[in-house]
């Protein structure tokens, strides 16, 4: 999801830059508008769909997102300039350098920007009582983790022997 959002923000940046320069606006303000629009879009989509940041922590997340994105953009421009010297277009160089520097930005965003993102987990018992398929239908692909409880007679007397194959079913 992060990759798709990042690519969408770069595409938005390039399209806005092209549209503004098409209407004879100067190149630098057009690039700045494109970058700002791309960063805003990436932040909004990541907070909304990818990293569930609580409302009270979104200002902090936005500041980190802005700082990291600005640093990433400046590093991107530095690397991109080398490709432009080789005759590449702005758009080609921007997409390639963004891809090259993606992992660095992702690590910083996960560590700082989205450190407060909510994680959703599901607890499942490995006994005959839990309907694993019904749980999956309810939560879909949304949980960040699955917690499996394996409870046997040593922990709770009278408990049925757990079916360890159910762990494999839940994992699948």
């Amino acid at each position: 999801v992060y990759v798709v959002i990042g690519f969408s923000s770069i595409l938005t940046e390039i399209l806005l830059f092209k549209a503004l320069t098409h209407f004879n606006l100067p190149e630098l303000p057009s690039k700045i508008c494109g970058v700002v629009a791309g960063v805003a879009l990436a932040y909004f989509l990541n907070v909304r769909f990818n990293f569930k940041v609580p409302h009270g922590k979104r200002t902090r997340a936005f500041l980190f997102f802005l700082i990291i994105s600005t640093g990433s953009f400046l590093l991107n421009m530095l690397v991109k300039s080398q490709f432009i010297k080789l005759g590449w277009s702005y758009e080609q160089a921007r997409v390639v350098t963004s891809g090259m520097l993606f992992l660095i930005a992702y690590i910083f965003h996960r560590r700082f920007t989205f450190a407060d993102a909510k994680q959703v987990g599901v607890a499942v018992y490995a006994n005959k009582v839990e309907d694993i398929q019904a749980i999956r239908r309810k939560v879909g692909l949304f949980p960040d983790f699955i917690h499996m409880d394996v409870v046997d007679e040593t922990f709770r007397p009278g408990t049925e022997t757990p079916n360890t194959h159910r762990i494999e079913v839940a994992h699948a």
Side-chain angles (χ1 to χ4, degrees):
V1 174
Y2 185 82
V3 173
V4 171
I5 291 171
F7 187 75
S8 299
S9 73
I10 297 291
L11 190 60
T12 299
E13 171 195 327
I14 290 170
L15 289 174
L16 185 57
F17 166 69
K18 283 297 204 184
L20 293 174
T21 54
H22 178 75
F23 291 110
N24 296 323
L25 273 93
E27 189 173 311
L28 183 60
S30 298
K31 282 182 184 177
I32 291 171
C33 287
V35 169
V36 169
V39 167
L41 178 69
Y43 173 76
F44 172 76
L45 293 176
N46 271 301
V47 166
R48 179 78 172 103
F49 298 108
N50 200 20
F51 303 105
K52 309 294 191 271
V53 178
H55 287 280
K57 306 221 176 188
R58 289 188 179 175
T59 301
R60 177 189 171 280
F62 179 71
L63 290 174
F64 274 112
F65 194 86
L66 200 55
I67 291 166
I68 293 167
S69 294
T70 300
S72 176
F73 178 75
L74 293 173
L75 184 58
N76 200 302
M77 291 298 109
L78 192 68
V79 174
K80 178 189 68 66
S81 66
Q82 301 306 310
F83 286 109
I84 289 178
K85 287 179 183 176
L86 296 173
W88 290 33
S89 71
Y90 171 82
E91 296 81 7
Q92 290 170 324
R94 182 73 171 109
V95 170
V96 169
T97 56
S98 295
M100 290 170 51
L101 300 171
F102 166 80
L103 187 58
I104 296 168
Y106 179 77
I107 290 168
F108 278 103
H109 281 306
R110 281 299 289 146
R111 174 69 178 99
F112 298 105
T113 305
F114 301 117
D116 296 318
K118 293 179 188 174
Q119 289 196 337
V120 178
V122 177
V124 179
Y125 288 96
N127 61 19
K128 295 178 183 175
V129 177
E130 295 282 19
D131 184 350
I132 294 173
Q133 295 305 323
I135 292 170
R136 184 181 188 283
R137 281 191 299 275
K138 288 178 185 174
V139 300
L141 300 174
F142 295 108
D144 295 305
F145 61 91
I146 296 175
H147 171 86
M148 291 292 300
D149 280 332
V150 180
V151 179
D152 64 6
E153 289 221 9
T154 60
F155 184 74
R156 186 172 176 206
T159 301
E160 291 183 34
T161 303
N163 295 326
T164 55
H165 77 278
R166 295 176 60 78
I167 296 171
E168 294 171 17
V169 170
H171 180 60

